[in-house]
Amino acid sequence: MAESGNSCQCREIPFEQVKETVARLCIEANCVLGDDMVRALEDGLKAEESETGKEIFRQLLKNQEIARADMMPICQDTGWAVVWVEIGSEVRITGGELGTAIQEGVAKGYTEGYLRKSIVADPIRRKNTGNNTPAIVYYDIVPGNQLKITVQPKGGGSENMSEVKMLSAADGVEGIKRFVVDRVWRSQANPCPPVIVGVGIGGTFEKCAQMAKRALLREVGSVHPDPFYAQLEQELLKEINKLGIGPQGFGGRVTALAVFIEAFPCHIAMMPCAVNINCHAARHKSAIL
């Protein structure tokens, strides 16, 4: 009796299409600030009371207008390319391997887009790779026949202000609040405020850090689907903006534009929490193939 073949009809996506898409996203993410961030900066200008802070907001808005019109980088730090991939279980890449297509796309985008190359091949010996690779890539296998790619250039200044703390369950929600607010306070002007604050709660040491980074992809103005975390986000934002750090650290009422939380189940003996801060140039672009 003959064996039945695989009935799955996979959708084929060419290697070159993935590569070219990633290259385009690298350039667009670095040069075109998202509409949600532009609105957030406009709202920040209205809310800020400091005259110096208001002027900084005006300059940030003008800067993104020039970057968008001339397709020039919003910031000189064009970041480490963090790539989030959602690949449908019915997708097959033809003509090469998906990971290679992504890395070649990043190299092409950063080279042809004249974006600053910021990656060194070894953390101690510090030789520049020359094309901003390797990218950091996260994969999720999802149902369907589509491939979603999101490129998130992450600047070094804001990334340096990130932290993971292994809290205990006894620390509770107040312990989380103290840690997040203290992390922003200690950061001061270093992450180029006004900032977006990503918070990961639960999981393991590395899982909560990844969640904090992914939380930064949320649209500014969106509300957490869980009312408990939606309220916690607003409480944290209010406390952070009481710190008085202000735009670019010159003082003011708007230090953060948003706080976004992702939570995940965790072990009974743990309550890890991570903070990943993004500067005012919260850059990310997506494409669905």
Side-chain angles (χ1 to χ4, degrees), residues 246-268:
Q248 296 297 295
F250 287 107
R253 66 178 290 128
V254 184
T255 298
L257 299 170
V259 176
F260 294 138
I261 295 172
E262 283 204 12
F264 196 79
C266 67
H267 191 282
I268 57 172

Side-chain angles (χ1 to χ4, degrees), residues 182-193:
D182 179 64
R183 176 64 267 178
V184 177
W185 171 248
R186 287 183 286 120
S187 300
Q188 290 291 310
N190 289 302
C192 295

Side-chain angles (χ1 to χ4, degrees), residues 1-288:
M1 183 176 179
E3 294 183 3
S4 60
N6 189 342
S7 60
C8 175
Q9 297 296 315
C10 286
R11 176 168 169 254
E12 296 183 346
I13 299 177
F15 175 97
E16 285 297 321
Q17 185 179 4
V18 175
K19 175 181 171 180
E20 293 298 325
T21 298
V22 171
R24 173 176 60 82
L25 292 175
C26 287
I27 296 170
E28 290 182 359
N30 270 293
C31 300
V32 181
L33 195 61
D35 292 341
D36 61 327
M37 276 303 301
V38 175
R39 288 192 298 269
L41 291 173
E42 291 171 343
D43 290 342
L45 173 59
K46 295 173 185 175
E48 183 55 62
E49 296 174 354
S50 158
E51 284 305 316
T52 301
K54 285 179 176 293
E55 178 58 25
I56 289 169
F57 270 111
R58 284 191 285 265
Q59 290 186 18
L60 294 179
L61 286 163
K62 183 63 175 178
N63 179 72
Q64 69 83 26
E65 286 178 10
I66 295 170
R68 183 187 298 258
D70 296 342
M71 286 305 289
M72 297 175 63
I74 301 162
C75 176
Q76 51 81 26
D77 183 353
T78 54
W80 194 321
V82 180
V83 184
W84 303 84
V85 180
E86 294 180 16
I87 181 167
S89 57
E90 299 172 26
V91 168
R92 185 168 74 92
I93 307 302
T94 60
E97 194 268 328
L98 176 58
T100 304
I102 292 169
Q103 298 295 345
E104 289 189 9
V106 169
K108 179 180 173 68
Y110 273 78
T111 301
E112 295 185 358
Y114 300 100
L115 305 174
R116 196 183 82 180
K117 321 302 186 297
S118 302
I119 307 306
V120 293
D122 183 273
I124 297 174
R125 288 170 287 187
R126 313 296 288 183
K127 182 179 179 180
N128 199 295
T129 63
N131 59 13
N132 222 62
T133 64
I136 301 294
V137 186
Y138 295 107
Y139 297 94
D140 276 322
I141 300 174
V142 298
N145 63 357
Q146 292 184 322
L147 174 65
K148 181 179 180 181
I149 301 172
T150 300
V151 174
Q152 179 188 32
K154 189 63 168 62
S158 61
E159 193 75 354
N160 279 339
M161 298 300 103
S162 304
E163 188 173 348
V164 174
K165 190 172 183 65
M166 304 305 288
L167 298 170
S168 71
D171 290 313
V173 70
E174 292 304 317
I176 291 170
K177 286 181 177 180
R178 284 193 298 271
F179 169 56
V180 174
V181 174
D182 179 64
R183 176 64 267 178
V184 177
W185 171 248
R186 287 183 286 120
S187 300
Q188 290 291 310
N190 289 302
C192 295
V195 296
I196 307 294
V197 182
V199 180
I201 305 171
T204 55
F205 176 83
E206 78 285 359
K207 176 67 175 178
C208 69
Q210 182 185 348
M211 289 192 296
K213 175 69 64 62
R214 187 171 57 197
L216 297 172
L217 297 176
R218 266 192 37 206
E219 181 178 343
V220 180
S222 64
V223 178
H224 199 290
D226 184 330
F228 173 83
Y229 286 110
Q231 180 178 340
L232 182 55
E233 288 176 347
Q234 290 306 306
E235 290 175 0
L236 284 167
L237 181 61
K238 183 177 179 180
E239 291 303 311
I240 288 169
N241 283 333
K242 285 181 180 178
L243 296 174
I245 297 169
Q248 296 297 295
F250 287 107
R253 66 178 290 128
V254 184
T255 298
L257 299 170
V259 176
F260 294 138
I261 295 172
E262 283 204 12
F264 196 79
C266 67
H267 191 282
I268 57 172
M270 302 163 50
M271 192 172 69
C273 183
V275 175
N276 194 232
I277 298 177
N278 210 128
C279 63
H280 65 273
R283 302 161 291 185
H284 49 88
K285 294 292 178 184
S286 301
I288 297 177

